[in-house]
Coordinates of all heavy atoms in Angstrom, one line a residue:
M1 N 15.7 -26.8 0.7 CA 15.8 -26.6 2.2 C 15.1 -25.3 2.5 O 14.4 -25.2 3.4 CB 17.2 -26.7 2.6 CG 17.4 -26.4 4.0 SD 16.8 -27.9 5.0 CE 17.8 -27.8 6.4
L2 N 15.4 -24.2 1.7 CA 14.8 -23.0 2.1 C 13.2 -22.9 2.0 O 12.6 -22.4 2.9 CB 15.4 -21.8 1.3 CG 16.9 -21.6 1.5 CD1 17.4 -20.5 0.5 CD2 17.2 -21.1 2.9
P3 N 12.7 -23.5 1.0 CA 11.2 -23.5 1.0 C 10.6 -24.3 2.2 O 9.6 -23.9 2.7 CB 10.9 -24.2 -0.3 CG 12.0 -24.0 -1.2 CD 13.3 -24.0 -0.3
W4 N 11.3 -25.3 2.6 CA 10.8 -26.1 3.7 C 10.9 -25.2 5.0 O 10.0 -25.2 5.8 CB 11.7 -27.3 3.9 CG 11.3 -28.1 5.1 CD1 10.3 -29.0 5.3 CD2 12.0 -28.2 6.4 NE1 10.3 -29.6 6.5 CE2 11.3 -29.0 7.3 CE3 13.1 -27.5 6.9 CZ2 11.7 -29.3 8.6 CZ3 13.5 -27.7 8.2 CH2 12.8 -28.6 9.0
L5 N 12.0 -24.5 5.2 CA 12.1 -23.6 6.4 C 11.0 -22.5 6.3 O 10.4 -22.1 7.3 CB 13.5 -23.0 6.4 CG 14.6 -23.9 6.8 CD1 15.9 -23.1 6.6 CD2 14.5 -24.3 8.3
A6 N 10.8 -21.9 5.1 CA 9.8 -21.0 4.9 C 8.4 -21.4 5.3 O 7.6 -20.7 5.8 CB 9.8 -20.4 3.5
G7 N 8.2 -22.7 5.0 CA 6.9 -23.3 5.4 C 6.6 -23.2 6.9 O 5.4 -23.2 7.3
W8 N 7.6 -23.2 7.7 CA 7.4 -23.0 9.2 C 6.8 -21.7 9.5 O 6.1 -21.6 10.5 CB 8.8 -23.2 9.9 CG 9.2 -24.6 10.0 CD1 9.8 -25.4 9.0 CD2 9.1 -25.4 11.1 NE1 10.1 -26.6 9.5 CE2 9.6 -26.7 10.8 CE3 8.6 -25.3 12.4 CZ2 9.7 -27.7 11.7 CZ3 8.6 -26.4 13.3 CH2 9.2 -27.5 12.9
Y9 N 7.0 -20.7 8.6 CA 6.4 -19.3 8.8 C 5.2 -19.2 8.0 O 4.6 -18.0 8.0 CB 7.5 -18.3 8.5 CG 8.6 -18.3 9.5 CD1 9.9 -18.6 9.1 CD2 8.4 -17.8 10.8 CE1 11.0 -18.6 10.0 CE2 9.5 -17.7 11.7 CZ 10.7 -18.2 11.3 OH 11.8 -18.1 12.2
G10 N 4.9 -20.1 7.1 CA 3.7 -19.9 6.3 C 4.0 -19.1 5.0 O 3.1 -18.4 4.5
I11 N 5.3 -19.0 4.7 CA 5.7 -18.1 3.5 C 5.9 -19.0 2.3 O 6.7 -19.9 2.3 CB 7.0 -17.4 3.8 CG1 6.9 -16.6 5.1 CG2 7.4 -16.5 2.7 CD1 8.3 -16.1 5.5
P12 N 5.2 -18.7 1.2 CA 5.5 -19.5 0.0 C 6.6 -18.9 -0.7 O 6.7 -17.7 -1.0 CB 4.2 -19.3 -0.9 CG 3.6 -17.9 -0.3 CD 4.0 -17.9 1.1
F13 N 7.6 -19.7 -1.1 CA 8.8 -19.2 -1.8 C 8.7 -19.8 -3.2 O 8.5 -20.9 -3.4 CB 10.0 -19.8 -1.2 CG 10.6 -18.9 -0.1 CD1 11.7 -19.4 0.6 CD2 10.2 -17.6 0.2 CE1 12.2 -18.6 1.6 CE2 10.7 -16.9 1.2 CZ 11.7 -17.4 1.9
D14 N 8.7 -18.9 -4.2 CA 8.7 -19.3 -5.6 C 10.2 -19.2 -6.1 O 10.7 -18.0 -6.1 CB 7.8 -18.4 -6.5 CG 7.7 -18.9 -7.9 OD1 8.7 -19.5 -8.4 OD2 6.7 -18.5 -8.5
Q15 N 10.9 -20.2 -6.4 CA 12.2 -20.2 -6.8 C 12.5 -19.3 -7.9 O 13.6 -18.7 -8.0 CB 12.7 -21.7 -7.1 CG 12.5 -22.7 -6.0 CD 13.4 -22.5 -4.8 OE1 14.4 -21.7 -4.9 NE2 13.2 -23.1 -3.7
D16 N 11.6 -19.1 -8.7 CA 11.7 -18.3 -10.0 C 11.6 -16.8 -9.7 O 12.1 -15.9 -10.4 CB 10.8 -18.7 -11.1 CG 11.0 -20.1 -11.6 OD1 12.2 -20.6 -11.5 OD2 10.1 -20.8 -11.9
L17 N 10.9 -16.4 -8.7 CA 10.6 -15.1 -8.4 C 11.5 -14.4 -7.3 O 11.6 -13.2 -7.3 CB 9.1 -14.9 -8.0 CG 8.1 -15.2 -9.1 CD1 6.7 -15.1 -8.6 CD2 8.3 -14.4 -10.3
L18 N 11.9 -15.2 -6.4 CA 12.7 -14.7 -5.3 C 14.1 -15.4 -5.2 O 14.2 -16.6 -5.0 CB 12.0 -14.9 -3.9 CG 12.4 -14.1 -2.7 CD1 12.4 -12.6 -3.0 CD2 11.5 -14.5 -1.5
A19 N 15.1 -14.7 -5.5 CA 16.5 -15.3 -5.5 C 16.9 -15.8 -4.1 O 16.4 -15.3 -3.1 CB 17.5 -14.1 -5.9
E20 N 17.8 -16.7 -4.1 CA 18.2 -17.4 -2.9 C 18.7 -16.4 -1.9 O 18.4 -16.5 -0.7 CB 19.2 -18.5 -3.2 CG 19.6 -19.2 -1.9 CD 20.6 -20.4 -2.2 OE1 20.4 -21.0 -3.2 OE2 21.5 -20.6 -1.4
P21 N 19.5 -15.4 -2.2 CA 19.9 -14.5 -1.2 C 18.8 -13.7 -0.5 O 18.8 -13.4 0.7 CB 20.9 -13.5 -1.9 CG 21.4 -14.3 -3.0 CD 20.2 -15.2 -3.5
A22 N 17.8 -13.4 -1.3 CA 16.6 -12.7 -0.7 C 15.8 -13.7 0.1 O 15.3 -13.2 1.2 CB 15.7 -12.2 -1.9
Q23 N 15.7 -14.9 -0.3 CA 15.0 -15.9 0.5 C 15.7 -16.0 1.9 O 15.1 -16.1 3.0 CB 15.0 -17.3 -0.1 CG 14.1 -17.3 -1.4 CD 14.2 -18.7 -2.0 OE1 14.6 -19.7 -1.5 NE2 13.8 -18.7 -3.3
R24 N 17.1 -16.2 1.9 CA 17.8 -16.3 3.1 C 17.7 -15.1 4.0 O 17.5 -15.1 5.2 CB 19.3 -16.5 2.8 CG 19.5 -17.8 2.2 CD 21.1 -18.1 2.0 NE 21.3 -19.4 1.4 CZ 21.3 -20.5 2.0 NH1 21.1 -20.5 3.3 NH2 21.5 -21.7 1.4
A25 N 17.7 -13.9 3.4 CA 17.5 -12.7 4.2 C 16.1 -12.5 4.8 O 16.0 -12.2 6.0 CB 17.7 -11.4 3.3
L26 N 15.1 -13.0 4.0 CA 13.8 -13.0 4.6 C 13.7 -14.0 5.8 O 13.1 -13.6 6.8 CB 12.8 -13.3 3.5 CG 11.3 -13.3 3.9 CD1 10.9 -11.9 4.4 CD2 10.4 -13.7 2.8
L27 N 14.2 -15.1 5.7 CA 14.2 -16.1 6.7 C 15.0 -15.6 8.0 O 14.6 -15.9 9.1 CB 14.7 -17.5 6.3 CG 13.7 -18.2 5.4 CD1 14.5 -19.4 4.8 CD2 12.5 -18.6 6.1
R28 N 16.1 -15.0 7.8 CA 16.9 -14.4 8.8 C 16.1 -13.4 9.6 O 16.3 -13.2 10.8 CB 18.2 -13.9 8.2 CG 19.2 -13.5 9.2 CD 20.6 -13.1 8.6 NE 20.5 -12.2 7.4 CZ 20.7 -12.7 6.2 NH1 21.1 -13.9 6.0 NH2 20.7 -11.9 5.2
H29 N 15.3 -12.6 8.9 CA 14.6 -11.5 9.6 C 13.2 -12.0 10.1 O 12.5 -11.2 10.8 CB 14.4 -10.3 8.6 CG 15.6 -9.6 8.4 ND1 16.5 -10.0 7.4 CD2 16.2 -8.5 9.0 CE1 17.5 -9.1 7.4 NE2 17.3 -8.2 8.4
M30 N 12.7 -13.1 9.9 CA 11.4 -13.5 10.2 C 11.1 -13.4 11.7 O 10.0 -13.0 12.1 CB 11.0 -14.9 9.7 CG 10.5 -14.9 8.3 SD 9.3 -13.7 7.8 CE 7.9 -14.3 8.8
P31 N 12.0 -13.9 12.7 CA 11.6 -13.8 14.0 C 11.3 -12.4 14.5 O 10.3 -12.2 15.2 CB 12.9 -14.3 14.8 CG 13.5 -15.3 13.8 CD 13.2 -14.6 12.4
G32 N 12.0 -11.4 14.0 CA 11.8 -10.0 14.4 C 10.6 -9.5 13.7 O 9.9 -8.7 14.2
L33 N 10.4 -9.9 12.4 CA 9.2 -9.5 11.7 C 8.0 -9.9 12.4 O 6.9 -9.2 12.4 CB 9.2 -10.0 10.3 CG 10.0 -9.2 9.3 CD1 10.2 -10.0 8.0 CD2 9.4 -7.9 9.0
L34 N 7.9 -11.1 12.9 CA 6.7 -11.7 13.6 C 6.3 -10.8 14.8 O 5.1 -10.7 15.1 CB 6.9 -13.1 14.0 CG 6.9 -14.1 12.9 CD1 7.2 -15.5 13.3 CD2 5.7 -14.1 12.1
T35 N 7.3 -10.1 15.4 CA 6.9 -9.3 16.6 C 6.3 -8.0 16.1 O 5.7 -7.3 16.9 CB 8.2 -9.0 17.4 OG1 9.1 -8.2 16.7 CG2 8.8 -10.3 17.9
R36 N 6.4 -7.6 14.8 CA 5.9 -6.4 14.3 C 4.7 -6.7 13.3 O 4.4 -5.8 12.5 CB 7.0 -5.6 13.6 CG 8.0 -5.0 14.6 CD 9.0 -4.1 14.0 NE 9.8 -4.8 13.0 CZ 10.8 -5.6 13.2 NH1 11.2 -6.0 14.4 NH2 11.5 -6.1 12.2
L37 N 4.2 -7.9 13.3 CA 3.1 -8.3 12.5 C 2.0 -7.3 12.5 O 1.5 -7.0 13.6 CB 2.7 -9.7 12.9 CG 1.7 -10.4 11.9 CD1 2.4 -10.7 10.6 CD2 1.2 -11.7 12.5
G38 N 1.6 -6.8 11.4 CA 0.4 -5.9 11.3 C 0.8 -4.5 11.6 O -0.1 -3.7 11.7
T39 N 2.1 -4.2 11.7 CA 2.4 -2.8 11.9 C 3.0 -2.1 10.7 O 3.4 -2.8 9.8 CB 3.5 -2.7 13.1 OG1 4.7 -3.3 12.6 CG2 3.0 -3.3 14.3
H40 N 3.1 -0.8 10.7 CA 3.7 -0.1 9.6 C 5.1 -0.5 9.4 O 5.5 -0.8 8.3 CB 3.5 1.4 9.9 CG 4.1 2.4 8.9 ND1 5.4 2.7 8.8 CD2 3.5 3.0 7.9 CE1 5.6 3.5 7.8 NE2 4.4 3.7 7.2
A41 N 5.9 -0.5 10.5 CA 7.3 -0.9 10.4 C 7.5 -2.3 9.8 O 8.4 -2.6 9.1 CB 7.9 -0.7 11.7
G42 N 6.6 -3.2 10.3 CA 6.8 -4.6 9.9 C 6.5 -4.7 8.4 O 7.1 -5.5 7.6
L43 N 5.5 -4.0 7.9 CA 5.1 -4.1 6.5 C 6.2 -3.5 5.6 O 6.6 -4.1 4.6 CB 3.7 -3.3 6.3 CG 3.3 -3.4 4.8 CD1 3.0 -4.8 4.3 CD2 1.9 -2.6 4.7
V44 N 6.8 -2.4 6.0 CA 7.9 -1.7 5.3 C 9.1 -2.7 5.2 O 9.6 -2.9 4.2 CB 8.3 -0.4 6.0 CG1 9.7 0.0 5.4 CG2 7.2 0.7 5.8
E45 N 9.4 -3.4 6.3 CA 10.5 -4.3 6.4 C 10.2 -5.5 5.4 O 11.1 -5.9 4.7 CB 10.9 -4.7 7.8 CG 12.1 -5.5 7.8 CD 12.5 -6.0 9.2 OE1 12.0 -5.4 10.2 OE2 13.5 -6.7 9.3
L46 N 9.1 -6.0 5.5 CA 8.7 -7.2 4.8 C 8.8 -6.9 3.3 O 9.4 -7.7 2.5 CB 7.3 -7.8 5.1 CG 6.9 -9.0 4.4 CD1 7.7 -10.2 4.7 CD2 5.4 -9.3 4.7
L47 N 8.1 -5.8 2.8 CA 8.2 -5.5 1.5 C 9.5 -5.1 0.9 O 9.9 -5.4 -0.2 CB 7.2 -4.3 1.2 CG 5.7 -4.6 1.4 CD1 4.9 -3.4 1.3 CD2 5.3 -5.6 0.4
S48 N 10.3 -4.5 1.8 CA 11.7 -4.2 1.5 C 12.6 -5.4 1.2 O 13.4 -5.5 0.2 CB 12.4 -3.4 2.6 OG 11.8 -2.1 2.7
L49 N 12.4 -6.4 2.1 CA 13.1 -7.7 1.9 C 12.7 -8.4 0.6 O 13.5 -9.0 -0.1 CB 12.8 -8.6 3.1 CG 13.6 -8.2 4.4 CD1 13.0 -8.9 5.6 CD2 15.1 -8.4 4.2
Y50 N 11.3 -8.4 0.3 CA 10.9 -9.0 -0.9 C 11.3 -8.3 -2.2 O 11.6 -9.0 -3.2 CB 9.3 -9.1 -0.9 CG 8.8 -10.5 -0.5 CD1 8.2 -10.7 0.8 CD2 8.9 -11.6 -1.3 CE1 7.7 -11.9 1.1 CE2 8.4 -12.8 -0.9 CZ 7.8 -13.0 0.3 OH 7.3 -14.2 0.6
T51 N 11.3 -7.0 -2.2 CA 11.5 -6.3 -3.4 C 12.9 -5.6 -3.5 O 13.2 -5.3 -4.7 CB 10.5 -5.1 -3.6 OG1 10.7 -4.2 -2.5 CG2 9.0 -5.6 -3.5
G52 N 13.6 -5.4 -2.5 CA 14.8 -4.8 -2.5 C 14.7 -3.3 -2.6 O 15.6 -2.5 -2.7
V53 N 13.5 -2.8 -2.5 CA 13.2 -1.3 -2.5 C 12.4 -1.0 -1.3 O 11.4 -1.6 -0.9 CB 12.4 -0.9 -3.8 CG1 12.0 0.6 -3.8 CG2 13.1 -1.3 -5.1
V54 N 12.8 0.2 -0.6 CA 12.0 0.6 0.6 C 10.8 1.3 0.1 O 10.9 2.3 -0.6 CB 12.9 1.5 1.4 CG1 12.1 2.0 2.6 CG2 14.2 0.8 1.9
P55 N 9.6 0.8 0.4 CA 8.3 1.4 0.0 C 7.9 2.6 0.9 O 8.4 2.7 2.1 CB 7.3 0.3 0.1 CG 7.8 -0.5 1.4 CD 9.3 -0.4 1.3
E56 N 7.1 3.4 0.3 CA 6.5 4.5 1.1 C 5.1 4.1 1.3 O 4.4 3.7 0.3 CB 6.5 5.9 0.3 CG 5.8 6.9 1.1 CD 5.8 8.2 0.2 OE1 6.4 8.3 -0.9 OE2 5.2 9.2 0.7
I57 N 4.6 4.0 2.5 CA 3.3 3.6 2.8 C 2.5 4.9 3.3 O 2.8 5.6 4.2 CB 3.2 2.6 3.9 CG1 3.9 1.4 3.4 CG2 1.7 2.3 4.4 CD1 4.0 0.2 4.4
V58 N 1.4 5.2 2.5 CA 0.6 6.4 2.8 C -0.8 5.9 3.2 O -1.5 5.3 2.5 CB 0.4 7.2 1.5 CG1 -0.4 8.5 1.7 CG2 1.8 7.6 0.8
E59 N -1.1 6.3 4.5 CA -2.3 6.0 5.1 C -3.4 7.0 4.8 O -3.1 8.2 4.8 CB -2.2 5.7 6.6 CG -1.2 4.6 6.9 CD -1.2 4.3 8.4 OE1 -2.3 4.2 9.0 OE2 -0.1 4.2 8.9
D60 N -4.6 6.5 4.5 CA -5.7 7.4 4.3 C -6.2 8.0 5.6 O -6.2 7.2 6.6 CB -6.9 6.8 3.6 CG -6.5 6.3 2.2 OD1 -5.6 6.9 1.5 OD2 -7.2 5.4 1.7
A61 N -6.5 9.2 5.7 CA -7.0 9.8 7.0 C -8.4 9.2 7.2 O -9.2 9.1 6.3 CB -7.1 11.3 6.8
K62 N -8.7 8.9 8.4 CA -9.9 8.5 8.9 C -10.4 9.3 10.0 O -9.6 9.9 10.8 CB -9.8 7.0 9.4 CG -9.4 6.0 8.3 CD -10.4 5.8 7.2 CE -11.4 4.7 7.6 NZ -12.3 4.4 6.6
E63 N -11.8 9.4 10.1 CA -12.3 10.1 11.2 C -12.1 9.3 12.5 O -12.2 8.1 12.5 CB -13.8 10.3 11.0 CG -14.1 11.2 9.8 CD -15.6 11.5 9.6 OE1 -16.3 11.4 10.6 OE2 -16.0 11.7 8.5
K64 N -11.9 10.0 13.6 CA -11.8 9.4 14.9 C -13.2 9.4 15.6 O -13.9 10.4 15.6 CB -10.8 10.0 15.7 CG -9.3 9.7 15.2 CD -8.3 10.2 16.2 CE -6.9 9.7 15.7 NZ -5.9 9.9 16.7
V65 N -13.6 8.3 16.2 CA -14.8 8.3 17.0 C -14.4 7.8 18.4 O -13.8 6.8 18.6 CB -15.8 7.2 16.4 CG1 -17.0 7.1 17.3 CG2 -16.2 7.5 15.0
N66 N -14.7 8.7 19.4 CA -14.3 8.5 20.7 C -12.8 8.2 20.9 O -12.5 7.4 21.7 CB -15.1 7.4 21.4 CG -16.6 7.7 21.4 OD1 -17.0 8.8 21.6 ND2 -17.4 6.7 21.3
G67 N -12.0 9.0 20.2 CA -10.6 8.9 20.3 C -9.9 7.7 19.6 O -8.7 7.6 19.6
S68 N -10.7 6.9 18.9 CA -10.0 5.7 18.2 C -10.5 5.7 16.6 O -11.5 6.4 16.4 CB -10.4 4.4 18.8 OG -11.7 4.2 18.7
Q69 N -9.7 5.1 15.8 CA -10.0 5.0 14.5 C -11.4 4.3 14.2 O -11.7 3.3 14.9 CB -8.9 4.2 13.7 CG -7.6 4.9 13.7 CD -7.6 6.2 12.9 OE1 -8.1 7.2 13.3 NE2 -6.8 6.2 11.8
A70 N -12.1 4.9 13.3 CA -13.4 4.3 13.0 C -13.3 3.5 11.7 O -12.8 4.0 10.7 CB -14.5 5.4 12.8
G71 N -13.8 2.3 11.7 CA -13.8 1.4 10.5 C -12.4 0.9 10.2 O -11.5 1.1 10.8
P72 N -12.4 0.3 9.0 CA -11.2 -0.3 8.5 C -10.2 0.8 8.1 O -10.5 1.9 7.7 CB -11.6 -1.2 7.3 CG -12.9 -0.6 6.8 CD -13.5 0.0 8.0
R73 N -8.9 0.4 8.2 CA -7.8 1.3 7.8 C -7.5 1.0 6.3 O -7.4 -0.2 5.9 CB -6.6 1.1 8.7 CG -6.9 1.2 10.1 CD -6.6 2.4 10.8 NE -5.5 3.2 10.4 CZ -4.4 3.4 11.2 NH1 -4.2 2.9 12.4 NH2 -3.4 4.2 10.7
H74 N -7.2 2.0 5.6 CA -6.8 1.8 4.1 C -5.4 2.6 4.0 O -5.2 3.6 4.6 CB -7.8 2.4 3.2 CG -9.1 1.8 3.4 ND1 -9.5 0.7 2.6 CD2 -10.2 2.1 4.1 CE1 -10.7 0.3 3.0 NE2 -11.1 1.1 3.9
F75 N -4.6 2.0 3.1 CA -3.3 2.6 2.8 C -2.9 2.3 1.4 O -3.4 1.4 0.8 CB -2.3 2.2 3.8 CG -2.1 0.7 3.8 CD1 -1.1 0.0 3.0 CD2 -2.7 -0.1 4.7 CE1 -0.8 -1.3 3.0 CE2 -2.6 -1.5 4.7 CZ -1.6 -2.1 3.9
R76 N -2.0 3.1 0.9 CA -1.4 2.9 -0.4 C 0.1 2.6 -0.3 O 0.8 3.3 0.5 CB -1.7 4.1 -1.2 CG -1.2 4.1 -2.7 CD -1.6 5.3 -3.5 NE -0.9 6.5 -2.9 CZ -1.5 7.5 -2.3 NH1 -2.8 7.5 -2.1 NH2 -0.8 8.6 -1.9
V77 N 0.6 1.7 -1.0 CA 2.1 1.4 -1.0 C 2.6 1.9 -2.3 O 2.2 1.5 -3.4 CB 2.3 -0.2 -0.9 CG1 3.8 -0.4 -0.9 CG2 1.7 -0.7 0.4
Q78 N 3.7 2.7 -2.3 CA 4.3 3.2 -3.4 C 5.8 2.8 -3.4 O 6.5 2.8 -2.4 CB 4.3 4.8 -3.4 CG 2.9 5.3 -3.5 CD 2.9 6.8 -3.4 OE1 1.9 7.4 -3.2 NE2 4.0 7.6 -3.4
F79 N 6.3 2.4 -4.6 CA 7.7 2.0 -4.7 C 8.3 3.0 -5.7 O 7.8 3.3 -6.8 CB 7.8 0.6 -5.3 CG 7.4 -0.5 -4.4 CD1 6.2 -0.9 -4.4 CD2 8.3 -0.9 -3.4 CE1 5.8 -1.9 -3.5 CE2 8.0 -1.9 -2.5 CZ 6.7 -2.5 -2.6
T80 N 9.5 3.5 -5.4 CA 10.3 4.3 -6.2 C 11.5 3.5 -6.6 O 12.3 3.3 -5.7 CB 10.7 5.7 -5.6 OG1 9.5 6.3 -5.2 CG2 11.4 6.5 -6.6
P81 N 11.7 3.1 -7.8 CA 12.9 2.3 -8.1 C 14.2 3.0 -7.8 O 14.2 4.2 -8.1 CB 12.7 2.0 -9.6 CG 11.3 2.3 -9.9 CD 10.8 3.4 -8.9
H82 N 15.1 2.2 -7.4 CA 16.5 2.8 -7.1 C 17.1 3.1 -8.4 O 17.1 2.3 -9.3 CB 17.3 1.8 -6.3 CG 18.7 2.2 -6.1 ND1 19.0 3.2 -5.3 CD2 19.8 1.8 -6.7 CE1 20.4 3.4 -5.3 NE2 20.9 2.6 -6.2
M83 N 17.7 4.3 -8.5 CA 18.5 4.6 -9.6 C 19.9 4.9 -9.3 O 20.2 5.6 -8.3 CB 17.9 5.9 -10.4 CG 16.5 5.5 -11.0 SD 15.8 7.0 -11.9 CE 17.1 7.3 -13.0
E84 N 20.8 4.6 -10.1 CA 22.3 4.8 -9.9 C 22.5 6.3 -10.1 O 21.8 6.9 -11.0 CB 23.1 4.0 -10.8 CG 23.0 2.5 -10.6 CD 23.5 2.1 -9.2 OE1 24.5 2.7 -8.7 OE2 22.9 1.2 -8.6
P85 N 23.4 6.9 -9.4 CA 23.7 8.4 -9.7 C 24.2 8.5 -11.1 O 24.9 7.8 -11.6 CB 24.9 8.6 -8.7 CG 24.8 7.6 -7.6 CD 24.2 6.4 -8.3
G86 N 23.6 9.6 -11.7 CA 23.9 9.9 -13.1 C 23.1 9.1 -14.1 O 23.1 9.4 -15.3
A87 N 22.2 8.2 -13.6 CA 21.3 7.5 -14.6 C 20.3 8.4 -15.1 O 19.8 9.3 -14.5 CB 20.6 6.3 -13.9
R88 N 19.9 8.1 -16.3 CA 19.0 9.0 -17.0 C 17.7 8.2 -17.2 O 17.7 7.0 -17.5 CB 19.5 9.5 -18.3 CG 20.7 10.4 -18.2 CD 21.3 10.8 -19.5 NE 20.3 11.7 -20.1 CZ 20.4 12.1 -21.3 NH1 21.4 11.9 -22.1 NH2 19.4 12.8 -21.8
T89 N 16.5 8.9 -17.2 CA 15.2 8.3 -17.5 C 14.8 8.7 -18.9 O 15.2 9.9 -19.3 CB 14.2 8.7 -16.5 OG1 14.0 10.1 -16.5 CG2 14.5 8.1 -15.0
T90 N 14.1 7.9 -19.5 CA 13.5 8.3 -20.8 C 12.1 8.7 -20.6 O 11.3 8.1 -19.8 CB 13.6 7.2 -21.8 OG1 12.9 6.0 -21.3 CG2 15.0 6.7 -22.1
Q91 N 11.7 9.8 -21.3 CA 10.3 10.3 -21.1 C 9.5 9.9 -22.4 O 9.9 10.0 -23.4 CB 10.4 11.8 -20.9 CG 11.2 12.2 -19.7 CD 10.3 12.4 -18.5 OE1 9.1 12.6 -18.6 NE2 10.9 12.2 -17.3

């Protein structure tokens, strides 16, 4: 049923990659996400729902021509995995 509902939004759900609770959360947030389509906030929310981690989006500086951005916009998405307090990393 969830993949069928996702089809209404054009979202492919892979049962093996996205757990059912995450699928339900994504579908629950889709109406609001559609209002922010193509925005920084919308991308952060969408990636957070898919991955469970809030990403940092770093935009490349572009020159402005006549007060507006010139050319295509480029950005980098960075994820920092959540670590439990007291967890240790191996180097």
Side-chain angles (χ1 to χ4, degrees):
M1 179 74 155
L2 294 178
W4 178 79
L5 289 171
W8 283 78
Y9 292 110
I11 304 170
F13 276 170
D14 185 335
Q15 303 288 349
D16 297 328
L17 297 178
L18 195 59
E20 185 176 322
Q23 291 177 20
R24 290 183 182 282
L26 185 58
L27 287 170
R28 188 172 42 254
H29 287 88
M30 277 312 294
L33 278 170
L34 289 175
T35 65
R36 292 184 301 283
L37 189 64
T39 67
H40 182 272
L43 183 58
V44 167
E45 185 175 352
L46 179 65
L47 291 172
S48 296
L49 288 166
Y50 259 107
T51 65
V53 178
V54 178
E56 178 184 356
I57 298 178
V58 180
E59 296 187 50
D60 293 339
K62 296 294 265 179
E63 293 182 30
K64 290 191 174 188
V65 176
N66 297 327
S68 64
Q69 296 291 71
R73 309 256 330 241
H74 299 272
F75 59 90
R76 181 177 64 247
V77 178
Q78 295 177 192
F79 290 95
T80 303
H82 172 73
M83 291 182 57
E84 295 298 323
R88 298 179 62 186
T89 60
T90 58
Q91 301 264 341

